[in-house]
Amino acid sequence: MTTEILNLYDLTLPDLETLLDSWGQPIYRARQIYRQLYIQLTTDSLAMTDLPLALRERLAAETQIGTLQLVRLQTADDGLTRKALFRLPSGEVVESVLMVYPDRATACVSTQAGCAMGCVFCATGRLGLLQNLTTGQIVEQALWAARELQVLSSELSVLSSADSTTQNSKLKTQNLTNVVFMGMGEPFANYDRWWQSVERLHDPRGFNLGARGLTVSTVGLVPGIRRLAGESLPINLAISLHSPDDALRSEMMPINHRYPIAALLDATRDYIAQTHRRVSFEYVLLQGKNDWPAQAIALAELLQGMLCHVNLIPWNPVPGTPLGRSDRARVLRFQQELFGRGIACTVRVERGMSIAAACGQLAGATVGEAIPLVSA
Ligand code: SAH
Ligand code: SF4
């Protein structure tokens, strides 16, 4: 069974060294393999031509490079947003999104198939928790995005040399600059595996992504926030707040019964005191529910004096929910109320709406939906 074969993406460099040592190979071979995996982005051990053929063959026979099967690829925004649907060995599916901007490229990756948190406005939440992803499966999504970006950059450079007026000629990056853990699942509910994926992606001997390019978003699991405060890598923290009062927040996000707003903000203040890093609060705007000016004022009072920033996210529709997306005027009014009270605030740029790749729309294939196989 493929599930039982060792996945190289699950191994740290020291793990790989131990493996190679047990095979009677010199330790430096581990570094070569590690570079192949995380710098060359090689997906086939037989293609690691700096290794002796016998070693390549043993790797091919006894290990695998990744466990995700790409079953569907969709694009939007002139090809600059790309959403992948992957099947896990268990048969469950997860989604990942690559968003390319002129000066940066971001992978939005999943940490779980489904999610146990049950937020009423989120497509993933309606699935319940199906499975925790392994470290290797989380890492693999970022590597997919990095490879996808390389293909895209070479396509665009051909395009832009043919037509210098194309906006795509402005693409300046060939490397992934950001990974956000904002896909399916709650990262802090799969903390250990998720954190190891952070360390792997950051490792300067391999993928070498700067800590400030990594952002985790949490529903507000207080123990996770406290744990992150003590970690050595200064990654960014985003907290899904979505309401300034407990009654409404509990209605939208059941986790609020366990960790109400006061406890959440206490943990956040401690996090800021310990790390001196600014946190982001995400606030999904639902028409007539949490987008009234009075709620903006209450939010500003809650966050007064905190080293923070509010990211407003107009709700992305999830079929079958009775919720509505705030219209532009209400979004702007809400933002103005925050601004007027000295709270830094932005409205999230929207990507991938046409392919349900935007925040909170990731749910994999719904029951009965045909999954077209990717041909290339
Ligand atoms: N589980 C984590 C991270 C994944 S969700 C969390 O909840 O923070 C990433 C962000 O998308 C969260 O802020 C979440 O509240 C938001 N989100 C969920 N559903 C959404 C939707 N339908 N429209 C817009 N944002 C949504
Ligand atoms: Fe889970 Fe985040 Fe969706 Fe809530 S918003 S159900 S925590 S993925």
Side-chain angles (χ1 to χ4, degrees):
M1 283 289 290
T2 51
T3 46
E4 285 153 18
I5 297 179
L6 190 63
N7 177 7
L8 292 182
Y9 292 145
D10 276 324
L11 305 185
T12 61
L13 179 54
D15 291 340
L16 204 51
E17 287 172 348
T18 306
L19 178 72
L20 273 281
D21 190 41
S22 74
W23 286 3
Q25 292 283 335
I27 298 291
Y28 68 86
R29 294 282 182 221
R31 279 202 178 215
Q32 285 178 292
I33 297 168
Y34 201 72
R35 279 197 295 271
Q36 285 281 357
L37 295 174
Y38 298 110
I39 300 176
Q40 306 301 326
L41 306 179
T42 310
T43 54
D44 175 5
S45 40
L46 292 173
M48 298 181 177
T49 49
D50 53 342
L51 303 180
L53 182 60
L55 176 56
R56 280 185 267 157
E57 286 176 343
R58 182 156 189 195
L59 282 169
E62 296 182 30
T63 68
Q64 55 186 339
I65 302 179
T67 58
L68 303 181
Q69 187 196 352
L70 180 66
V71 284
R72 185 178 63 193
L73 182 64
Q74 291 170 284
T75 63
D77 308 318
D78 289 334
L80 299 180
T81 301
R82 308 168 90 84
K83 179 171 87 161
L85 178 75
F86 293 108
R87 200 192 309 278
L88 309 175
S90 63
E92 305 296 355
V93 292
V94 292
E95 293 184 306
S96 324
V97 185
L98 168 67
M99 290 160 285
V100 183
Y101 304 90
D103 58 341
R104 67 198 154 92
T106 300
C108 176
V109 304
S110 298
T111 53
Q112 299 180 310
C115 180
M117 300 297 149
C119 304
V120 298
F121 48 85
C122 172
T124 310
R126 307 177 79 194
L127 302 171
L129 177 63
L130 303 170
Q131 192 181 324
N132 278 321
L133 298 194
T134 64
T135 297
Q137 288 165 342
I138 302 171
V139 166
E140 188 178 353
Q141 297 169 67
L143 300 180
W144 161 79
R147 267 182 236 111
E148 194 70 15
L149 178 63
Q150 285 182 345
V151 174
L152 186 68
S153 315
S154 56
E155 283 171 12
L156 293 181
S157 65
V158 173
L159 248 182
S160 62
S161 57
D163 173 9
S164 59
T165 61
T166 170
Q167 54 147 358
N168 295 337
S169 64
K170 290 192 211 124
L171 188 67
K172 289 197 189 70
T173 179
Q174 289 192 318
N175 294 320
L176 207 59
T177 53
N178 299 78
V179 172
V180 298
F181 299 95
M182 295 187 184
M184 296 166 75
E186 166 54 37
F188 289 171
N190 189 17
Y191 195 102
D192 293 336
R193 296 183 191 91
W194 162 70
W195 183 254
Q196 282 172 36
S197 77
V198 168
E199 293 185 318
R200 187 72 43 73
L201 293 171
H202 172 264
D203 190 348
R205 300 166 299 189
F207 198 66
N208 194 23
L209 190 62
R212 303 320 308 249
L214 291 155
T215 301
V216 64
S217 173
T218 179
V219 69
L221 296 187
V222 164
I225 295 172
R226 296 201 177 280
R227 203 168 155 189
L228 184 65
E231 301 286 6
S232 54
L233 293 178
I235 71 163
N236 305 301
L237 171 63
I239 297 172
S240 297
L241 189 54
H242 307 332
S243 165
D245 71 86
D246 277 323
L248 179 59
R249 191 167 189 270
S250 296
E251 188 188 312
M252 294 168 66
M253 309 166 75
I255 195 66
N256 194 67
H257 293 290
R258 179 107 174 258
Y259 301 114
I261 294 173
L264 177 57
L265 294 186
D266 272 353
T268 310
R269 278 190 208 93
D270 290 347
Y271 173 92
I272 296 170
Q274 200 171 331
T275 63
H276 309 290
R277 294 199 296 270
R278 188 176 80 153
V279 301
S280 288
F281 287 103
E282 292 155 295
Y283 196 103
V284 169
L285 286 164
L286 293 160
Q287 177 104 347
K289 226 168 170 53
N290 66 349
D291 68 347
W292 297 98
Q295 287 160 318
I297 295 166
L299 180 64
E301 273 164 22
L302 268 185
L303 304 184
Q304 211 51 252
M306 259 173 129
L307 183 60
C308 72
H309 166 270
V310 174
N311 199 202
L312 299 175
I313 315 170
W315 180 68
N316 297 309
V318 173
T321 51
L323 304 166
R325 174 186 170 88
S326 300
D327 59 42
R328 193 80 198 145
R330 291 177 76 94
V331 173
L332 294 178
R333 175 74 198 276
F334 199 93
Q335 188 181 23
Q336 269 167 15
E337 298 292 350
L338 291 177
F339 264 149
R341 287 163 181 79
I343 305 288
C345 171
T346 46
V347 180
R348 184 169 287 174
V349 178
E350 292 174 318
R351 276 297 187 96
M353 291 281 282
S354 62
I355 54 169
C359 296
Q361 292 185 314
L362 304 183
T366 48
V367 178
E369 182 186 348
I371 304 174
L373 281 167
V374 174
S375 53

PDB file of all heavy atoms in Angstrom, residues 8-27:
ATOM      1  N   LEU A   8       9.208  11.023   1.782  1.00  0.00           N
ATOM      2  CA  LEU A   8      10.412  11.810   2.070  1.00  0.00           C
ATOM      3  C   LEU A   8      10.064  13.194   2.630  1.00  0.00           C
ATOM      4  O   LEU A   8      10.828  13.757   3.411  1.00  0.00           O
ATOM      5  CB  LEU A   8      11.287  11.945   0.813  1.00  0.00           C
ATOM      6  CG  LEU A   8      11.940  10.653   0.312  1.00  0.00           C
ATOM      7  CD1 LEU A   8      12.807  10.939  -0.916  1.00  0.00           C
ATOM      8  CD2 LEU A   8      12.782   9.982   1.394  1.00  0.00           C
ATOM      9  N   TYR A   9       8.909  13.742   2.263  1.00  0.00           N
ATOM     10  CA  TYR A   9       8.518  15.062   2.792  1.00  0.00           C
ATOM     11  C   TYR A   9       8.194  15.023   4.286  1.00  0.00           C
ATOM     12  O   TYR A   9       8.032  16.066   4.915  1.00  0.00           O
ATOM     13  CB  TYR A   9       7.296  15.613   2.046  1.00  0.00           C
ATOM     14  CG  TYR A   9       7.540  15.986   0.605  1.00  0.00           C
ATOM     15  CD1 TYR A   9       6.536  15.796  -0.340  1.00  0.00           C
ATOM     16  CD2 TYR A   9       8.738  16.558   0.190  1.00  0.00           C
ATOM     17  CE1 TYR A   9       6.720  16.148  -1.665  1.00  0.00           C
ATOM     18  CE2 TYR A   9       8.931  16.911  -1.138  1.00  0.00           C
ATOM     19  CZ  TYR A   9       7.919  16.700  -2.060  1.00  0.00           C
ATOM     20  OH  TYR A   9       8.100  17.056  -3.367  1.00  0.00           O
ATOM     21  N   ASP A  10       8.065  13.817   4.844  1.00  0.00           N
ATOM     22  CA  ASP A  10       7.823  13.731   6.287  1.00  0.00           C
ATOM     23  C   ASP A  10       9.120  13.782   7.097  1.00  0.00           C
ATOM     24  O   ASP A  10       9.070  13.819   8.324  1.00  0.00           O
ATOM     25  CB  ASP A  10       7.075  12.424   6.630  1.00  0.00           C
ATOM     26  CG  ASP A  10       5.569  12.575   6.455  1.00  0.00           C
ATOM     27  OD1 ASP A  10       5.046  13.670   6.742  1.00  0.00           O
ATOM     28  OD2 ASP A  10       4.924  11.601   6.021  1.00  0.00           O
ATOM     29  N   LEU A  11      10.259  13.783   6.410  1.00  0.00           N
ATOM     30  CA  LEU A  11      11.540  13.689   7.120  1.00  0.00           C
ATOM     31  C   LEU A  11      12.249  15.040   7.234  1.00  0.00           C
ATOM     32  O   LEU A  11      12.305  15.801   6.276  1.00  0.00           O
ATOM     33  CB  LEU A  11      12.485  12.723   6.380  1.00  0.00           C
ATOM     34  CG  LEU A  11      11.964  11.310   6.111  1.00  0.00           C
ATOM     35  CD1 LEU A  11      13.077  10.462   5.476  1.00  0.00           C
ATOM     36  CD2 LEU A  11      11.481  10.652   7.397  1.00  0.00           C
ATOM     37  N   THR A  12      12.799  15.283   8.425  1.00  0.00           N
ATOM     38  CA  THR A  12      13.709  16.424   8.581  1.00  0.00           C
ATOM     39  C   THR A  12      15.050  16.020   7.958  1.00  0.00           C
ATOM     40  O   THR A  12      15.273  14.844   7.665  1.00  0.00           O
ATOM     41  CB  THR A  12      13.950  16.725  10.073  1.00  0.00           C
ATOM     42  OG1 THR A  12      14.552  15.564  10.655  1.00  0.00           O
ATOM     43  CG2 THR A  12      12.655  17.052  10.803  1.00  0.00           C
ATOM     44  N   LEU A  13      15.962  16.995   7.850  1.00  0.00           N
ATOM     45  CA  LEU A  13      17.285  16.642   7.324  1.00  0.00           C
ATOM     46  C   LEU A  13      17.981  15.609   8.234  1.00  0.00           C
ATOM     47  O   LEU A  13      18.508  14.607   7.734  1.00  0.00           O
ATOM     48  CB  LEU A  13      18.132  17.910   7.122  1.00  0.00           C
ATOM     49  CG  LEU A  13      19.541  17.697   6.592  1.00  0.00           C
ATOM     50  CD1 LEU A  13      19.562  16.877   5.302  1.00  0.00           C
ATOM     51  CD2 LEU A  13      20.232  19.045   6.368  1.00  0.00           C
ATOM     52  N   PRO A  14      17.962  15.793   9.567  1.00  0.00           N
ATOM     53  CA  PRO A  14      18.568  14.755  10.428  1.00  0.00           C
ATOM     54  C   PRO A  14      17.902  13.382  10.253  1.00  0.00           C
ATOM     55  O   PRO A  14      18.583  12.360  10.262  1.00  0.00           O
ATOM     56  CB  PRO A  14      18.352  15.295  11.852  1.00  0.00           C
ATOM     57  CG  PRO A  14      18.272  16.779  11.674  1.00  0.00           C
ATOM     58  CD  PRO A  14      17.613  17.007  10.341  1.00  0.00           C
ATOM     59  N   ASP A  15      16.563  13.353  10.057  1.00  0.00           N
ATOM     60  CA  ASP A  15      15.885  12.059   9.804  1.00  0.00           C
ATOM     61  C   ASP A  15      16.436  11.410   8.536  1.00  0.00           C
ATOM     62  O   ASP A  15      16.661  10.205   8.468  1.00  0.00           O
ATOM     63  CB  ASP A  15      14.375  12.256   9.562  1.00  0.00           C
ATOM     64  CG  ASP A  15      13.618  12.683  10.797  1.00  0.00           C
ATOM     65  OD1 ASP A  15      14.134  12.475  11.910  1.00  0.00           O
ATOM     66  OD2 ASP A  15      12.502  13.227  10.639  1.00  0.00           O
ATOM     67  N   LEU A  16      16.639  12.252   7.535  1.00  0.00           N
ATOM     68  CA  LEU A  16      17.128  11.752   6.245  1.00  0.00           C
ATOM     69  C   LEU A  16      18.560  11.219   6.401  1.00  0.00           C
ATOM     70  O   LEU A  16      18.924  10.189   5.826  1.00  0.00           O
ATOM     71  CB  LEU A  16      17.080  12.909   5.234  1.00  0.00           C
ATOM     72  CG  LEU A  16      16.981  12.603   3.758  1.00  0.00           C
ATOM     73  CD1 LEU A  16      15.865  11.636   3.430  1.00  0.00           C
ATOM     74  CD2 LEU A  16      16.756  13.935   2.982  1.00  0.00           C
ATOM     75  N   GLU A  17      19.337  11.930   7.216  1.00  0.00           N
ATOM     76  CA  GLU A  17      20.719  11.480   7.472  1.00  0.00           C
ATOM     77  C   GLU A  17      20.715  10.120   8.167  1.00  0.00           C
ATOM     78  O   GLU A  17      21.493   9.236   7.813  1.00  0.00           O
ATOM     79  CB  GLU A  17      21.460  12.529   8.324  1.00  0.00           C
ATOM     80  CG  GLU A  17      21.790  13.777   7.505  1.00  0.00           C
ATOM     81  CD  GLU A  17      22.354  14.925   8.335  1.00  0.00           C
ATOM     82  OE1 GLU A  17      22.284  14.867   9.587  1.00  0.00           O
ATOM     83  OE2 GLU A  17      22.847  15.891   7.725  1.00  0.00           O
ATOM     84  N   THR A  18      19.808   9.963   9.120  1.00  0.00           N
ATOM     85  CA  THR A  18      19.707   8.676   9.830  1.00  0.00           C
ATOM     86  C   THR A  18      19.336   7.564   8.853  1.00  0.00           C
ATOM     87  O   THR A  18      19.895   6.468   8.893  1.00  0.00           O
ATOM     88  CB  THR A  18      18.635   8.782  10.951  1.00  0.00           C
ATOM     89  OG1 THR A  18      18.961   9.889  11.768  1.00  0.00           O
ATOM     90  CG2 THR A  18      18.573   7.525  11.793  1.00  0.00           C
ATOM     91  N   LEU A  19      18.397   7.868   7.970  1.00  0.00           N
ATOM     92  CA  LEU A  19      17.967   6.870   6.984  1.00  0.00           C
ATOM     93  C   LEU A  19      19.137   6.463   6.093  1.00  0.00           C
ATOM     94  O   LEU A  19      19.405   5.271   5.891  1.00  0.00           O
ATOM     95  CB  LEU A  19      16.823   7.433   6.131  1.00  0.00           C
ATOM     96  CG  LEU A  19      16.323   6.504   5.026  1.00  0.00           C
ATOM     97  CD1 LEU A  19      15.540   5.331   5.614  1.00  0.00           C
ATOM     98  CD2 LEU A  19      15.431   7.260   4.023  1.00  0.00           C
ATOM     99  N   LEU A  20      19.853   7.468   5.577  1.00  0.00           N
ATOM    100  CA  LEU A  20      20.958   7.177   4.653  1.00  0.00           C
ATOM    101  C   LEU A  20      22.069   6.412   5.368  1.00  0.00           C
ATOM    102  O   LEU A  20      22.679   5.504   4.794  1.00  0.00           O
ATOM    103  CB  LEU A  20      21.492   8.488   4.053  1.00  0.00           C
ATOM    104  CG  LEU A  20      20.815   9.016   2.785  1.00  0.00           C
ATOM    105  CD1 LEU A  20      21.302   8.259   1.554  1.00  0.00           C
ATOM    106  CD2 LEU A  20      19.299   8.953   2.818  1.00  0.00           C
ATOM    107  N   ASP A  21      22.278   6.772   6.627  1.00  0.00           N
ATOM    108  CA  ASP A  21      23.289   6.084   7.428  1.00  0.00           C
ATOM    109  C   ASP A  21      22.899   4.607   7.586  1.00  0.00           C
ATOM    110  O   ASP A  21      23.727   3.709   7.428  1.00  0.00           O
ATOM    111  CB  ASP A  21      23.392   6.778   8.792  1.00  0.00           C
ATOM    112  CG  ASP A  21      24.584   6.284   9.582  1.00  0.00           C
ATOM    113  OD1 ASP A  21      25.660   6.105   8.963  1.00  0.00           O
ATOM    114  OD2 ASP A  21      24.441   6.057  10.795  1.00  0.00           O
ATOM    115  N   SER A  22      21.609   4.383   7.837  1.00  0.00           N
ATOM    116  CA  SER A  22      21.160   2.994   8.020  1.00  0.00           C
ATOM    117  C   SER A  22      21.259   2.198   6.711  1.00  0.00           C
ATOM    118  O   SER A  22      21.283   0.983   6.716  1.00  0.00           O
ATOM    119  CB  SER A  22      19.727   2.955   8.566  1.00  0.00           C
ATOM    120  OG  SER A  22      18.814   3.303   7.539  1.00  0.00           O
ATOM    121  N   TRP A  23      21.321   2.915   5.625  1.00  0.00           N
ATOM    122  CA  TRP A  23      21.492   2.260   4.319  1.00  0.00           C
ATOM    123  C   TRP A  23      22.984   2.103   3.972  1.00  0.00           C
ATOM    124  O   TRP A  23      23.334   1.710   2.860  1.00  0.00           O
ATOM    125  CB  TRP A  23      20.816   3.075   3.206  1.00  0.00           C
ATOM    126  CG  TRP A  23      19.318   2.994   3.204  1.00  0.00           C
ATOM    127  CD1 TRP A  23      18.510   2.344   4.094  1.00  0.00           C
ATOM    128  CD2 TRP A  23      18.441   3.602   2.243  1.00  0.00           C
ATOM    129  NE1 TRP A  23      17.182   2.521   3.756  1.00  0.00           N
ATOM    130  CE2 TRP A  23      17.116   3.285   2.614  1.00  0.00           C
ATOM    131  CE3 TRP A  23      18.633   4.389   1.105  1.00  0.00           C
ATOM    132  CZ2 TRP A  23      15.999   3.707   1.894  1.00  0.00           C
ATOM    133  CZ3 TRP A  23      17.524   4.819   0.385  1.00  0.00           C
ATOM    134  CH2 TRP A  23      16.212   4.473   0.780  1.00  0.00           C
ATOM    135  N   GLY A  24      23.865   2.514   4.889  1.00  0.00           N
ATOM    136  CA  GLY A  24      25.301   2.413   4.634  1.00  0.00           C
ATOM    137  C   GLY A  24      25.818   3.462   3.661  1.00  0.00           C
ATOM    138  O   GLY A  24      26.879   3.310   3.047  1.00  0.00           O
ATOM    139  N   GLN A  25      25.066   4.560   3.539  1.00  0.00           N
ATOM    140  CA  GLN A  25      25.464   5.633   2.613  1.00  0.00           C
ATOM    141  C   GLN A  25      26.165   6.752   3.374  1.00  0.00           C
ATOM    142  O   GLN A  25      25.875   6.966   4.558  1.00  0.00           O
ATOM    143  CB  GLN A  25      24.208   6.240   1.955  1.00  0.00           C
ATOM    144  CG  GLN A  25      23.490   5.324   1.014  1.00  0.00           C
ATOM    145  CD  GLN A  25      24.201   5.206  -0.328  1.00  0.00           C
ATOM    146  OE1 GLN A  25      24.935   6.094  -0.737  1.00  0.00           O
ATOM    147  NE2 GLN A  25      23.984   4.082  -0.992  1.00  0.00           N
ATOM    148  N   PRO A  26      27.064   7.489   2.703  1.00  0.00           N
ATOM    149  CA  PRO A  26      27.656   8.649   3.382  1.00  0.00           C
ATOM    150  C   PRO A  26      26.574   9.693   3.704  1.00  0.00           C
ATOM    151  O   PRO A  26      25.608   9.845   2.947  1.00  0.00           O
ATOM    152  CB  PRO A  26      28.662   9.205   2.368  1.00  0.00           C
ATOM    153  CG  PRO A  26      28.454   8.458   1.100  1.00  0.00           C
ATOM    154  CD  PRO A  26      27.540   7.307   1.340  1.00  0.00           C
ATOM    155  N   ILE A  27      26.781  10.407   4.813  1.00  0.00           N
ATOM    156  CA  ILE A  27      25.792  11.377   5.294  1.00  0.00           C
ATOM    157  C   ILE A  27      25.533  12.488   4.270  1.00  0.00           C
ATOM    158  O   ILE A  27      24.421  12.989   4.155  1.00  0.00           O
ATOM    159  CB  ILE A  27      26.280  12.008   6.629  1.00  0.00           C
ATOM    160  CG1 ILE A  27      26.421  10.926   7.705  1.00  0.00           C
ATOM    161  CG2 ILE A  27      25.361  13.121   7.100  1.00  0.00           C
ATOM    162  CD1 ILE A  27      25.133  10.330   8.190  1.00  0.00           C
TER     163      ILE A  27
END
